[in-house]
């Protein structure tokens, strides 16, 4: 069964995503510490009549980076422009956005780790001094001209903060890491979104969906949509706990929320690498999967859930994982203890 896409959004999802995405900060659930710091920064900037400092959000896909980037400008009453590091391939691509900025407006660059070096360097003076340096002409006749920009806020999002160069990272006033959500927070998200869809949802059904969405609001939304379809097609439209369990089982999602690709990853380590340690490249080749998909989308949750550990020699299954897969763990070996992250 193909993996349920985390990053890819279909037309229907795009429309519904808009409906489900919190519009204001007070509609956001969870991430309380990040939320409190962002709120203080906004409040202080507003009271001083200054532009908000640049903010970087990092964390696995679907945890709310784009949501933060869209509610912040709304909270400040300023414009938002959205760009992606994947398409800003030359300084001129960025120029359009920078020259369109209004005083205090927000430029959001998603996947900022994908900016090529030349674009990154073009961004430094823009972030630091609100100016850009443009080279005119070539060779001995080349001249640098300085162009002032309106003071603005850059919000960057990345799933790979480790890939950002230190000079870029250091130019952000705040760097915020988004972590996975608790089951209670996800149950609240599922309950609110079921109300937006006007589908009846039992309290224990909300908890069931919440505990099977890998700590990720975007997956909570995707799972809710599927359970809603299943309830409409196979039942009377009401989502009970049993309906949720049946619907999710049909997608191959197990009681810890792991999908077929997660289990394939764990079973590859178990069967091909004898439980590990194994390097992510070797696992990816064996599974015929992209290394980036494993390290961005699959591994963060499995590490967080304590099903896999990282050791100096690679990934290794934990005793909890053997239990989950229903196989007996090998006798303790001399492998050094891994760390969760
Ligand atoms: P990212 O940019 O980190 O990949 P998004 O911000 O696009 O993730 O979040 C995906 C979806 O999850 C959003 O459209 C929204 O519906 C939901 N979501 C994310 N964060 C929250 C939150 N804190 N509270 C409620 N819903 C959220």
């Amino acid at each position: 069964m193909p993996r349920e896409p985390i990053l890819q959004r279909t037309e229907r999802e795009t429309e519904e995503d808009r409906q489900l995405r919190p519009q204001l900060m007070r509609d956001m659930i969870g991430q309380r510490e990040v939320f409190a710091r962002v709120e203080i920064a906004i409040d202080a900037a507003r009271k001083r009549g200054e532009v908000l400092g640049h903010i970087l959000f990092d964390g696995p896909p679907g945890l709310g980076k784009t949501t933060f980037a869209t509610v912040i400008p709304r909270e400040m009453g300023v414009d938002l422009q959205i760009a992606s590091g994947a398409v800003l391939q030359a300084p001129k691509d960025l120029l359009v956005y920078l020259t369109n900025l209004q005083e205090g407006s927000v430029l959001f660059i998603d996947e900022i780790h994908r900016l090529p070096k030349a674009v990154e360097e073009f961004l430094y003076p823009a972030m630091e001094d609100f100016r850009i340096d443009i080279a005119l002409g070539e060779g001995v006749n080349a001249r640098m001209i300085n162009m002032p920009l309106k003071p603005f806020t850059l919000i960057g999002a990345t799933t790979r903060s480790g890939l950002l160069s230190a000079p870029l990272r250091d130019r952000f006033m705040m760097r915020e890491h988004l972590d996975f959500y608790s089951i209670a927070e996800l149950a609240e998200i599922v309950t609110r979104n079921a109300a937006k869809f006007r589908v009846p949802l039992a309290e224990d059904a909300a908890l069931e969906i919440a505990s099977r969405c890998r700590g990720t609001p975007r997956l909570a939304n995707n799972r809710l949509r599927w359970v809603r379809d299943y309830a409409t097609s196979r039942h009377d439209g009401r989502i009970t706990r049993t309906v949720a369990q049946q619907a999710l089982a049909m997608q191959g999602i197990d009681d810890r929320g792991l999908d077929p690709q997660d289990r394939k990853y764990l079973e590859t380590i178990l069967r091909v690498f004898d439980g590990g340690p194994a390097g992510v490249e070797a696992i990816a080749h064996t599974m015929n999967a992209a290394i980036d998909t494993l390290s961005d989308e699959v591994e963060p949750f499995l590490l967080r859930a304590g099903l896999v550990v990282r050791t100096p020699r690679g990934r290794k299954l934990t005793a909890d994982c053997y239990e989950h897969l229903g196989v007996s763990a090998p006798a303790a070996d001399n492998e050094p203890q891994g760390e969760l992250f």
Side-chain angles (χ1 to χ4, degrees), residues 4 17 20-21 189-190 193 197 209 213 216-226:
E4 182 183 350
D17 266 350
L20 299 185
R21 198 188 291 285
I189 293 175
V190 169
N193 291 346
F197 286 152
I209 299 172
C213 58
T216 306
R218 182 176 298 144
L219 287 185
N221 291 345
N222 291 354
R223 308 263 203 262
L224 174 65
R225 283 189 193 110
W226 164 248

Side-chain angles (χ1 to χ4, degrees), residues 80-100:
L80 166 70
Q81 293 192 80
I82 301 180
S84 167
V87 296
L88 297 173
Q89 287 306 301
K92 68 172 170 30
D93 302 329
L94 190 58
L95 196 60
V96 186
Y97 292 97
L98 293 175
T99 50
N100 263 335

